Amino acid sequence: MLDIKMIRQNVDEVKEQLGNRGVKPEIIDEIVSKDRKRRDIIVQTETLKKQRNDVSQAIAQLKRNKENADTQIEEMKKVGDAIKAFDEELNGLDEEVTDMASRLPNMPNKTIPVGPDEDSNVELRKVGTPRTFDFEPKAHWEIGEKLDILDFERGAKVAGSRFLYYKGWGARLERALYNFMLDEHAADGYTEIIPPYVVNDESMYGTGQFPKFKADVFQIENEDLTLIPTAEVPLTNYYRDEVIPEEKLPVYFTALSPSFRSEAGSAGRDTRGLIRLHQFNKVEMVKFAKPEDSYAELEKMTNDAGSIMEKLGLPYHVITLSTGDMGFSAAMTHDLEVWLPAQNMYREISSCSNTETFQARRAHIQYRDDDGKLQFVHTLNGSGLAVGRTLAAVLENYQNEDGSVTVPEVLRPYMGGLDVIK
């Protein structure tokens, strides 16, 4: 959440920066106007409260002198009624300003590309060379179904579209991938966590999913609980309403979890395969850092995600997202996209973001600086990696003409030494 004081003091800059993210300037004007009215009421209320205090003292003195205080008592009743009315108006304005501000996206870092959509994204680097096939490469769902390791038909029968069964070596390969990822992140200093897979509304608010994106998740009816869309939510909220000791920073967490997405608005997109599911496994990375260190930590997180693909031998590239393509909470995002031969294109497999203080303000996560003052931490999150999409990339990049799939060397110890899935 953006600091209302910052908005108030930098109205033109906020309009320009958030305008690059599609926010209309009238929304900022309305927030500032309501905030100004709110502060005016606070001043009037404090004046009335002082007046009430003075009148109360005068009444007490009159009573001590055994004099009539009816006029002053009547005056105090009117003052009390006015204060009550102002308090009710103030509470309403507080709720309105908070709700409107909570729906504003984060301010983008000034160095990222400005543009309305993904066409304005900027490629930072390519890593690895896509394989040249001497046969027509098949899509991962076709490979998986023919090997009898992915079953989309029965997944749809049991749960609906965008669900599947991993079977046999398919389940083993999925497990090999996430165990490999967790082991790599642990070696890089991340503390492994098994988090709750359901969270309350306050947690969803803390990371920025609520109130704006309720249509994108699965909520449990009549309960203050939501199936997590990513382990970013429980990991970031680990320190909600806490002060992290400065000497602990930076804190690194990693977790494997299922992720549940309603995929609202994705009708007709990626209807086959593992790219866009309602339920999928993802290994998440989350960091808590001092502001002066957070962008170095973002680069390291991006490299940590990239290292997984390099060790798996998967070609990928890194792009910096534009203002119009970036997620709600992010100030800067680097996407890593893996090469999928059957689609002849790169597809997102990890998104690494620095949210600066945006989530920390919402979740009240702070630390004490060298002067003993409370400051908001910077929070970062990234996929390390989306497991199903990684499995899809392995199937497509390591497929053989006879329909078999070679197991990447680093995964063989996790697969009982198996080198080819036939």
Side-chain angles (χ1 to χ4, degrees):
M1 187 170 178
L2 299 178
D3 181 8
I4 190 65
K5 183 178 179 182
M6 182 277 295
I7 296 174
R8 185 192 310 144
Q9 295 175 346
N10 303 276
V11 175
D12 291 339
E13 181 183 356
V14 171
K15 284 182 180 180
E16 179 183 0
Q17 292 288 83
L18 294 188
N20 292 330
R21 303 205 64 180
V23 177
K24 296 179 180 179
E26 306 89 77
I27 294 176
I28 308 302
D29 287 334
E30 186 176 359
I31 291 174
V32 172
S33 175
K34 288 181 182 294
D35 175 62
R36 185 184 301 113
K37 186 176 181 181
R38 184 184 67 84
R39 287 183 294 124
D40 288 343
I41 290 174
I42 290 173
V43 171
Q44 294 178 67
T45 303
E46 291 303 315
T47 300
L48 286 174
K49 286 179 179 178
K50 183 180 183 305
Q51 182 182 346
R52 181 172 63 181
N53 185 55
D54 292 342
V55 172
S56 296
Q57 291 179 19
I59 291 171
Q61 185 61 46
L62 287 168
K63 287 183 176 181
R64 281 195 294 270
N65 296 337
K66 297 183 178 181
E67 297 179 38
N68 187 289
D70 290 349
T71 301
Q72 289 80 0
I73 291 171
E74 188 63 31
E75 179 184 351
M76 192 170 68
K77 286 181 180 178
K78 292 178 181 177
V79 170
D81 290 342
I83 290 172
K84 183 180 178 181
F86 276 138
D87 283 343
E88 290 176 355
E89 187 176 5
L90 184 61
N91 289 336
L93 282 169
D94 279 340
E95 290 180 5
E96 288 179 33
V97 170
T98 299
D99 182 66
M100 292 181 72
S102 71
R103 296 172 187 273
L104 292 177
N106 200 357
M107 292 272 283
N109 183 288
K110 292 180 181 179
T111 66
I112 70 172
V114 175
D117 51 36
E118 62 185 15
D119 292 335
S120 302
N121 297 341
V122 173
E123 184 180 74
L124 294 179
R125 57 185 175 274
K126 278 191 172 79
V127 180
T129 303
R131 172 184 167 189
T132 300
F133 290 83
D134 53 11
F135 61 92
E136 186 70 26
K138 295 181 175 64
H140 64 273
W141 58 84
E142 185 177 352
I143 299 167
E145 287 172 337
K146 287 191 174 180
L147 288 172
D148 196 26
I149 61 174
L150 301 178
D151 194 330
F152 295 93
E153 185 176 345
R154 288 187 175 90
K157 176 184 71 175
V158 170
S161 62
R162 300 187 191 271
F163 291 93
L164 80 151
Y165 284 95
Y166 291 86
K167 183 180 177 184
W169 286 114
R172 187 74 177 267
L173 181 59
E174 174 97 351
R175 179 156 57 93
L177 282 166
Y178 60 65
N179 282 331
F180 168 67
M181 293 173 189
L182 289 170
D183 287 348
E184 289 296 306
H185 294 319
D188 286 332
Y190 292 81
T191 298
E192 185 176 348
I193 303 285
I194 298 178
Y197 299 156
V198 292
V199 295
N200 54 32
D201 287 0
E202 192 173 354
S203 296
M204 293 292 283
Y205 178 86
T207 44
Q209 279 80 15
F210 284 2
K212 191 170 183 179
F213 301 104
K214 285 193 173 185
D216 296 334
V217 298
F218 292 108
Q219 292 186 273
I220 299 176
E221 190 174 6
N222 300 322
E223 296 284 347
D224 177 18
L225 290 172
T226 298
L227 298 176
I228 60 172
T230 164
E232 169 199 342
V233 180
L235 291 182
T236 303
N237 279 279
Y238 184 89
Y239 284 118
R240 193 181 75 223
D241 298 322
E242 293 187 34
V243 177
I244 305 174
E246 183 183 17
E247 62 272 14
K248 281 192 173 184
L249 296 172
V251 175
Y252 293 9
F253 286 157
T254 189
L256 164 75
S257 79
S259 297
F260 302 93
R261 309 273 177 94
S262 71
E263 291 297 340
S266 68
R269 297 171 58 196
D270 298 310
T271 55
R272 301 194 67 184
L274 300 169
I275 300 301
R276 200 175 299 276
L277 298 170
H278 289 312
Q279 174 194 317
F280 58 94
N281 287 321
K282 183 153 73 79
V283 172
E284 188 74 10
M285 303 174 288
V286 161
K287 293 184 178 185
F288 305 85
K290 294 180 183 179
E292 62 267 27
D293 300 329
S294 67
Y295 277 95
E297 293 294 348
L298 176 62
E299 295 308 313
K300 184 178 185 304
M301 177 181 280
T302 304
N303 291 334
D304 291 340
S307 174
I308 300 293
M309 282 188 283
E310 290 168 40
K311 290 177 180 178
L312 288 170
L314 297 173
Y316 71 98
H317 73 168
V318 181
I319 58 176
T320 298
L321 299 191
S322 69
T323 53
D325 196 34
M326 194 165 57
F328 178 80
S329 297
M332 175 183 281
T333 297
H334 297 321
D335 267 11
L336 294 88
E337 298 184 332
V338 68
W339 180 255
L340 291 182
Q343 296 188 29
N344 196 37
M345 66 185 296
Y346 291 102
R347 295 299 303 265
E348 180 195 335
I349 197 170
S350 173
S351 197
C352 297
S353 299
N354 186 353
T355 78
E356 297 187 359
T357 63
F358 189 82
Q359 291 179 331
R361 286 184 185 280
R362 298 170 78 102
H364 303 109
I365 306 171
Q366 298 174 298
Y367 75 101
R368 290 191 186 277
D369 63 18
D370 294 335
D371 297 324
K373 294 180 179 179
L374 285 173
Q375 305 287 354
F376 289 107
V377 298
H378 281 196
T379 64
L380 301 92
N381 62 80
S383 313
L385 307 163
V387 184
R389 293 188 179 200
T390 309
L391 189 143
V394 167
L395 294 183
E396 292 198 12
N397 283 278
Y398 281 90
Q399 63 181 293
N400 302 308
E401 190 171 9
D402 64 358
S404 65
V405 174
T406 300
V407 177
E409 190 171 343
V410 294
L411 296 182
R412 292 174 191 175
Y414 298 89
M415 299 279 286
L418 185 76
D419 57 357
V420 178
I421 301 174
K422 298 180 181 179

